[in-house]
Amino acid sequence: MQLMENIRNFCIIAHIDHGKSTLADRLLEFTNTISGKDLQNQVLDDMELERERGITIKSHAIQMAHKFGNKDYKLNLIDTPGHVDFSYEVSRSIAACEGALLIIDATQGIQAQTISNLYLAIDNDLEIIPVLNKMDLENAMPEEVKDQIVDLLGCSRDEIIEASGKTGYGIEKILETIINIIPSPKGNPHAPLQALIFDSVFNSFRGIIAYFRIFNGEIKKGDFVKFVNTGKEYHADEIGVLKLDREEKKILKTGDVGYIISGIKISKEVKVGDTVTHVERPCDKAIEGFEDVKPMVFAGIYPVDTDDYEELRSSIEKLQLNDASLTFVPESSAALGFGFRCGFLGLLHMEIVQERLDREFNMNVITTVPNVSYKVITNKGETIEVHNPSGLPEQKYIDHIEEPYIIAQIISKSNYVGSIMNLCIDKRGTLKNQVYLTSDRVEVTFEMPLGEIVFDFYDKLKSISKGYASFDYYQSGYKPANLVKLDILLNGESVDALSTLIHRDNAYNFGRRMCVKLKELIPRQQFDIAIQAAIGVKIIARETVKALRKDVTAKCYGGDITRKRKLLEKQKKGKKRMRQVGNVQVPQQAFLAVLKLD
């Protein structure tokens, strides 16, 4: 019988690439959770894409058994994704724990996401254990990074554990500290069941498997339970704990972390952050902090071959089972045919969805220019949410448009601060704060429109800071903005997939660059093609793709000028007729090139 005081629930907080998954591997190996034959690098990152990019996309949970001081302890590691786009998942994982390992790379020091996730942990009153990882590397700077940690946490230098995920140095000390410092779960075993869902995964045979942590009460196999926020009721067909594979149990008690399978097939019925309780004896209130995840970036996804539309629909539906934060609605475009308008948590999320569609479902897709959702206030005072420039009402009905703003935190070396500030100000940012973390590391905080960072902000930030700057953001609300709809016209016909909502000050410059780029990409026809950028009825930029011409006067050698003129007039009439019936195809590279305008 396992006592509640012998359970420890903890998570790991770290920036991308600070060695979180490798350190987790060592913990699993040291506690003999994995045998030698199952050992592979980054055991918890089981998606091929996660291994390749070295990032955690889906959070995982695993239970370790460890004997310390003649007692058997149960250690539940609730892994968290490290990237800013998945911060809601991180916040729920943190809510299921009593402590956190703060892992910091000894070669790089503190980065932006470490700080934002650390604040989440401190808000939840978690015990923080600082760990200095990658001590085996020659370019480690332990003393400098320890100074940064002491400044950030206010702990003493002795509390910082030196470790190396690669060699296994310091792992024993980490386990000892987890047992000594992290408190055991609190809760009433005799109260009504109250458990927090912090993650869910889809299994094609069993349906959706929800991972939960019990705060009060207990759950037995076969119990009739309900999910508070969705109001759905199910039988607990199977419950158990998460070792390397699922291990079935008859009963789970207060403080335990486990899974529940109840044959759910629809991903919308299981929401991260929801509360599980018994139908007959429900808890008084749900666990706080639940919210519906709201997409921040929208883009159209269209099949390259229009016959693949249904296949794309089933691929996105299957993907949504594994990734509940992806939203989509069907839409059609005159230039691209039928497709879907998808909502993503951020740019990395969008990139990963595209990549997974390609790898897991072999879907070849075109993605339109990403944009954010705007609030349009009409003259009558109604508010309309617009995700797509083509959904914008006519200018005469619009009172004003509001766009989402974010607070961006950027941490970088101090010699790049000038160029980073220029970049943020160019993107309509206003400086809020600037703090020197150490003599050569500075944190700048900007308030800026989300629409400005979805395009190419991150790439530019990395290139001007030579890869050093780390970037983190969270949404801060909506503000009125001077936005206009920029249309691209080919021979007077608007191409809806290329239209964008853009700030009036940037419209001329952007329209001009679009026209120049399209002139390079659109193949020449037998007639002139006018490429125009327009705001409403006003044309702000134009380029012309010249017609291919045949030299019809070549056979006239001598004689009167009127013979040549007659031939040229005849050719001119033919070109005019062709222009009336000819239509212009926009090649696919054009859509991709617009995404990469620099």
Side-chain angles (χ1 to χ4, degrees), residues 53-289:
R53 293 190 168 213
I55 56 177
T56 301
I57 296 168
K58 285 294 295 170
S59 52
H60 296 265
I62 194 160
Q63 190 182 89
M64 300 175 272
H66 185 55
K67 198 174 173 72
F68 179 73
N70 295 333
K71 280 187 192 167
D72 288 326
Y73 287 93
K74 225 183 346 185
L75 310 179
N76 289 310
L77 161 61
I78 297 172
D79 193 15
T80 58
H83 198 274
V84 46
D85 288 0
F86 307 109
S87 58
Y88 175 64
E89 272 197 25
V90 177
S91 74
R92 299 333 296 143
S93 295
I94 284 175
C97 300
E98 277 83 28
L101 293 181
L102 174 70
I103 294 186
I104 293 166
D105 187 332
T107 63
Q108 291 181 30
I110 290 169
Q111 307 272 338
Q113 280 153 24
T114 317
I115 291 184
S116 65
N117 287 349
L118 176 68
Y119 289 152
L120 273 179
I122 291 173
D123 287 346
N124 278 292
D125 293 332
L126 266 60
E127 276 293 337
I128 311 287
I129 300 174
V131 176
L132 199 55
N133 196 19
K134 303 197 182 179
M135 286 297 293
D136 57 312
L137 296 183
E138 287 173 10
N139 57 343
M141 328 170 280
E143 297 311 313
E144 286 174 44
V145 180
K146 276 184 183 175
D147 290 340
Q148 293 175 23
I149 298 173
V150 170
D151 285 348
L152 181 68
L153 283 179
C155 61
S156 71
R157 291 176 82 91
D158 313 339
E159 288 171 37
I160 302 168
I161 303 171
E162 296 185 2
S164 158
K166 196 182 279 181
T167 60
Y169 162 66
I171 298 297
E172 205 166 338
K173 178 91 186 287
I174 292 174
L175 286 166
E176 188 183 319
T177 315
I178 288 170
I179 289 166
N180 291 336
I181 286 189
I182 296 177
S184 58
K186 304 278 181 284
N188 180 355
H190 308 296
L193 173 69
Q194 189 188 35
L196 169 77
I197 296 179
F198 61 85
D199 194 18
S200 64
V201 291
F202 179 72
N203 179 311
S204 45
F205 301 110
R206 308 294 307 267
I208 291 179
I209 302 170
Y211 294 170
F212 62 84
R213 144 87 202 263
I214 301 177
F215 281 92
N216 290 308
E218 59 184 38
I219 182 171
K220 295 189 178 75
K221 184 179 173 173
D223 280 356
F224 195 34
V225 295
K226 82 166 179 185
F227 292 19
V228 177
N229 286 298
T230 55
K232 303 279 189 208
E233 301 181 352
Y234 306 100
H235 283 285
D237 298 339
E238 184 185 314
I239 57 168
V241 294
L242 297 146
K243 293 287 178 73
L244 198 55
D245 295 312
R246 297 188 297 278
E247 197 173 286
E248 203 175 335
K249 297 276 186 211
K250 290 274 187 292
I251 182 168
L252 291 175
K253 302 195 171 194
T254 309
D256 277 334
V257 173
Y259 68 89
I260 176 170
I261 300 178
S262 29
I264 307 166
K265 289 283 188 280
I266 304 161
S267 66
K268 291 188 179 63
E269 291 182 11
V270 179
K271 294 188 169 175
V272 171
D274 205 344
T275 306
V276 184
T277 188
H278 282 128
V279 174
E280 295 188 352
R281 191 177 159 222
C283 55
D284 316 334
K285 59 180 200 299
I287 293 162
E288 290 168 6

Side-chain angles (χ1 to χ4, degrees), residues 25 135 166 303 306 309 323 360 376 385 398 467 477 517:
D25 290 350
M135 286 297 293
K166 196 182 279 181
T306 42
Y309 175 72
D323 181 354
E360 295 171 28
V376 177
E385 210 169 87
I398 297 175
K517 195 78 180 169

